[in-house]
Amino acid sequence: RIKISRSSVWERLSRKRLNTLLRALIDGLMFQAFGNILLTKNMLQQLGVSKVYLFDSSTITLIDSAINHFKGVNGKAGIKLHAGINLFSGSIEWFKLTESKCHDRTSFPELNLFTGTLIIFDLGYFDYQLMIALIDIGAFFLCRLKDGAVVHITEVISGLPSKSVGLSLLKACKQNKH
C-alpha cells in the first residue's frame, strides 16, 4: 500500500535484486517445509546428495484464437511451462514448453542427469515407474502421496527406528493419510 515511482519498480525487479529476493524466498520455504534436515550438509552428504531440484509446471491461458496451435483444457488455448530449478544455485536448469493439456509426467527430463540428486515434485509428476527409475540411478525424490498409495519402508537412514523397515510409511510415522 505504499506508492512508489516507476523507476523504483524496475529497480526492485532488476536481475540482482530479484535473484536475491527469490533465493531468500526459496531458502525460507525450504526451511519451513523441511526444517534443518535438508539444510544441513551432514544429512545431504550422508545421503550422497550433490544437488536439489524442484520440478513444477505452470499454465498460461492464451487468447481464444490460439486454440488451433496450443490446445488447452476446457476448450481454452494455453501453454504450460515445465521447469526444473536447482535450489542450491537458484537457477532454472531445465524447462520445456508444451500445450497446456499436456500431462506433467510426460514432460520430465532425461533421468541420467539426476544421479546423486534430491528431486522435489508435486502430484502431477507422481508415477511409480518414474520413482523406480530414480532409485535405480541413485537419485532421491520427495513428493506427497496420492490417495490410496501404499508405501513400505525399505531402508531407514535417519529419523525412524530400524524396526520400521517393512512397515507402511504412514503406520510407522503414526500419521493419518492427510
Side-chain angles (χ1 to χ4, degrees):
R1 297 182 188 266
I2 298 172
K3 291 186 179 188
I4 59 175
S5 68
R6 283 186 183 187
S7 62
S8 292
V9 171
W10 289 116
E11 186 270 329
R12 290 174 186 198
L13 292 177
S14 72
R15 183 176 184 160
K16 184 176 180 184
R17 184 163 179 167
L18 184 61
N19 190 7
T20 303
L21 178 65
L22 289 174
R23 187 175 305 232
L25 178 65
I26 289 171
D27 288 347
L29 290 172
M30 294 291 289
F31 185 77
Q32 279 184 344
F34 309 111
N36 287 326
I37 292 174
L38 191 58
L39 299 177
T40 60
K41 288 192 182 250
N42 185 26
M43 181 66 159
L44 293 174
Q45 287 173 345
Q46 186 178 2
L47 289 171
V49 171
S50 58
K51 295 183 225 167
V52 178
Y53 281 96
L54 172 69
F55 281 92
D56 203 1
S57 64
S58 183
T59 300
I60 302 163
T61 303
L62 301 175
I63 60 173
D64 291 341
S65 61
I67 191 81
N68 295 332
H69 302 289
F70 303 101
K71 297 202 182 332
V73 292
N74 299 327
K76 300 211 181 256
I79 57 173
K80 187 182 279 192
L81 170 65
H82 307 268
I85 302 167
N86 182 330
L87 294 181
F88 286 166
S89 69
S91 62
I92 295 176
E93 295 195 8
W94 173 86
F95 74 93
K96 182 177 182 180
L97 284 173
T98 65
E99 294 179 329
S100 63
K101 73 175 187 172
C102 179
H103 194 281
D104 290 347
R105 176 56 190 101
T106 62
S107 297
F108 206 80
E110 295 282 328
L111 294 182
N112 59 358
L113 303 171
F114 302 115
T115 301
T117 301
L118 171 62
I119 302 169
I120 303 168
F121 52 85
D122 67 8
L123 287 177
Y125 296 97
F126 190 98
D127 179 71
Y128 291 114
Q129 296 302 321
L130 172 64
M131 294 173 191
I132 291 168
L134 289 170
I135 291 168
D136 288 345
I137 64 163
F140 301 88
F141 58 88
L142 177 65
C143 67
R144 293 182 306 148
L145 292 176
K146 282 190 172 184
D147 285 342
V150 178
V151 177
H152 290 92
I153 299 170
T154 58
E155 180 183 7
V156 174
I157 297 171
S158 176
L160 293 172
S162 59
K163 65 182 180 181
S164 300
V165 172
L167 294 178
S168 158
L169 178 63
L170 295 177
K171 183 178 179 182
C173 295
K174 296 182 173 88
Q175 299 284 323
N176 64 27
K177 71 177 184 175
H178 302 290

